[in-house]
């Protein structure tokens, strides 16, 4: 006699503010001394995350096995607890559409390059003083940047899985209000987004959307010194920068061919070891002895802008 499943009994439903739960007992008989390992291989043995047979919104959250005896047979009672932490009373669910819940707002810190100090600021109190040595060269250093981390949940009646890959890791293209917060263009970043089905009244099913969003007043830009060992040559292509000395003993820069015409006959052009400052058009600055200003740095968008329109993000929230 192998492991035999004899049926199950529901122990009742519990509903409170945190959700609902239900327990179910499954009965198995083992006639040939089978142990728990063999019992777990039975096709009726439950697993964590399984749905309840009569309510798919309830998922198995814990399983306990209690051995007992029934005559000459080994008997096992398997108790399964099913829970749904997101189940709300129908009256509450119907009022929650368009309203955020599980709201939290905290700080987020990350290491970024330290490129501008607050010794000099512009009219918006933003730093414009590059971090350089006394010789005017950029310093390689890092600092910690603090931004806001907004987490919230809300309900949608429809949701497509493709939306997750479409909007994750994107910034808002236009000014938007999310959970009552005004976010300027490209200053909000969707870090994570998840969706799961929730059962409502009359057997209706909708989606709970969980979002984690970073908000930065400076936006999501990467800044780099406009320096390189290449410059934009006469044909428009990147050309290796060489250095030589002219007849006055001053350094001159350009391609090896160009330097052959202006360098001292005794000076052999050699490629530069350190990147040189370039103009906005990619040419070598005539003087490298400069204290770089804001215009000597390049800025690039780090994240892809998106409208986020399909998400119907909640615009109201109480803090």
């Amino acid at each position: 006699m192998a492991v035999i499943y004899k049926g199950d009994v529901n122990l009742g439903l519990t509903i409170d503010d945190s959700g609902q739960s239900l327990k179910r007992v499954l009965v198995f008989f083992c006639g040939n001394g089978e142990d728990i390992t063999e019992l777990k291989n039975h096709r009726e043995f439950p697993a964590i995350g399984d749905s309840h047979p009569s309510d798919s919104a309830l998922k198995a959250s814990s399983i306990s096995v209690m051995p007992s005896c029934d005559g000459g047979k080994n008997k096992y009672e398997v108790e399964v607890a099913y829970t749904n932490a997101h189940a709300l009373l129908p009256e509450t669910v119907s009022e929650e559409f368009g309203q955020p819940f599980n709201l939290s707002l905290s700080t987020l810190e990350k290491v970024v390059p330290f490129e501008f100090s607050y010794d000099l600021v512009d009219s918006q109190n933003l730093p414009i003083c590059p971090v350089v040595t006394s010789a005017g060269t950029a310093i390689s250093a890092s600092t910690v940047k603090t931004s806001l981390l907004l987490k919230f949940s809300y309900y949608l009646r429809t949701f497509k899985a493709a939306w997750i890959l479409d909007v994750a890791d994107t910034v808002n293209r236009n000014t938007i209000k999310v959970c009552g917060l005004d976010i300027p263009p490209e200053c909000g970043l969707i870090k994570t987004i998840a969706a799961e089905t929730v059962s409502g009244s009359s057997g209706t099913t909708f989606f709970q959307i969980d979002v984690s969003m970073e908000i930065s007043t400076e936006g999501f830009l990467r800044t780099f010194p406009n320096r390189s060992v290449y410059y934009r040559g006469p044909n428009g292509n990147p050309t290796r920068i060489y250095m030589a000395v002219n007849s006055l003993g001053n350094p001159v820069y350009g391609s090896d061919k160009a330097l052959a015409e202006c360098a001292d006959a005794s000076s052999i052009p050699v490629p530069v070891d350190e990147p040189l400052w370039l103009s906005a058009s990619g040419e070598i600055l005539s003087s490298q002895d400069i204290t770089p200003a804001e215009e000597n740095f390049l800025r690039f968008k780090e994240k892809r802008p998106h409208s986020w329109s399909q998400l119907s993000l909640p615009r109201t929230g109480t803090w």
Side-chain angles (χ1 to χ4, degrees):
M1 179 179 176
V3 178
I4 298 177
Y5 171 59
K6 300 296 291 185
D8 67 301
V9 177
N10 286 331
L11 298 183
L13 180 67
T14 300
I15 301 177
D16 55 28
D17 292 340
S18 63
Q20 61 186 39
S21 61
L22 184 151
K23 288 186 178 180
R24 175 173 170 241
V25 175
L26 291 73
V27 179
F28 295 86
F29 283 97
C30 302
N32 295 327
E34 291 88 355
D35 58 17
I36 293 179
T37 302
E38 294 171 281
L39 175 66
K40 289 174 61 179
N41 293 328
H42 194 278
R43 61 185 180 86
E44 295 292 342
F45 193 88
I48 298 295
D50 284 350
S51 298
H52 190 276
S54 60
D55 190 343
S56 61
L58 295 173
K59 308 294 183 182
S61 57
S62 66
I63 301 171
S64 60
V65 180
M66 297 162 285
S68 60
C69 293
D70 188 344
K73 303 175 183 178
N74 289 332
K75 177 183 177 183
Y76 289 93
E77 294 182 354
V78 180
E79 182 176 288
V80 188
Y82 296 84
T83 59
N84 183 354
H86 304 297
L88 302 173
L89 295 177
E91 294 78 11
T92 306
V93 169
S94 63
E95 295 172 356
E96 288 292 340
F97 282 105
Q99 301 293 326
F101 59 96
N102 292 337
L103 279 165
S104 69
L105 190 63
S106 58
T107 57
L108 181 67
E109 295 183 347
K110 59 183 178 181
V111 177
V112 297
F114 179 39
E115 293 167 331
F116 290 91
S117 75
Y118 283 87
D119 295 331
L120 293 176
V121 296
D122 60 13
S123 58
Q124 284 77 42
N125 203 36
L126 297 176
I128 57 176
C129 181
V131 179
V132 295
T133 67
S134 57
T137 59
I139 296 176
S140 177
S142 61
T143 184
V144 174
K145 179 182 177 181
T146 300
S147 54
L148 295 178
L149 181 63
L150 169 65
K151 294 183 179 180
F152 60 95
S153 302
Y154 67 110
Y155 293 129
L156 281 181
R157 290 181 173 83
T158 59
F159 187 87
K160 296 181 180 180
W163 293 352
I164 294 181
L165 292 179
D166 191 26
V167 304
D169 201 39
T170 64
V171 294
N172 56 308
R173 179 177 294 134
N174 306 307
T175 299
I176 190 172
K177 182 188 289 289
V178 179
C179 296
L181 297 177
D182 292 313
I183 305 176
E186 301 185 15
C187 289
L189 169 68
I190 294 181
K191 298 184 68 65
T192 61
I193 180 171
E196 63 176 299
T197 57
V198 178
S199 296
S201 59
S202 304
T204 58
T205 300
F206 48 93
F207 295 88
Q208 175 176 322
I209 315 300
D210 301 306
V211 177
S212 173
M213 180 182 299
E214 182 179 355
I215 302 173
S216 172
T217 56
E218 300 176 11
F220 295 86
L221 301 173
R222 295 294 299 273
T223 305
F224 299 94
N226 190 15
R227 305 181 70 199
S228 178
V229 295
Y230 289 84
Y231 76 107
R232 192 179 297 278
N235 57 1
N237 295 326
T239 303
R240 190 66 165 86
I241 300 176
Y242 282 75
M243 183 195 73
V245 176
N246 60 17
S247 58
L248 301 177
N250 298 321
V252 289
Y253 304 98
S255 66
D256 53 348
K257 294 181 179 179
L259 292 182
E261 301 176 359
C262 62
D264 186 80
S266 62
S267 179
I268 301 175
V270 294
V272 297
D273 294 325
E274 295 292 332
L276 300 183
W277 290 102
L278 305 179
S279 68
S281 59
E283 299 175 351
I284 306 169
L285 291 183
S286 57
S287 173
Q288 293 293 314
D289 186 19
I290 66 169
T291 298
E294 188 175 8
E295 63 268 17
N296 298 115
F297 288 77
L298 302 175
R299 290 167 180 79
F300 300 91
K301 292 183 179 181
E302 187 178 9
K303 301 296 181 181
R304 175 172 58 92
H306 194 282
S307 67
W308 297 350
S309 57
Q310 66 263 55
L311 295 182
S312 298
L313 292 168
R315 296 178 178 273
T316 60
T318 302
W319 295 94

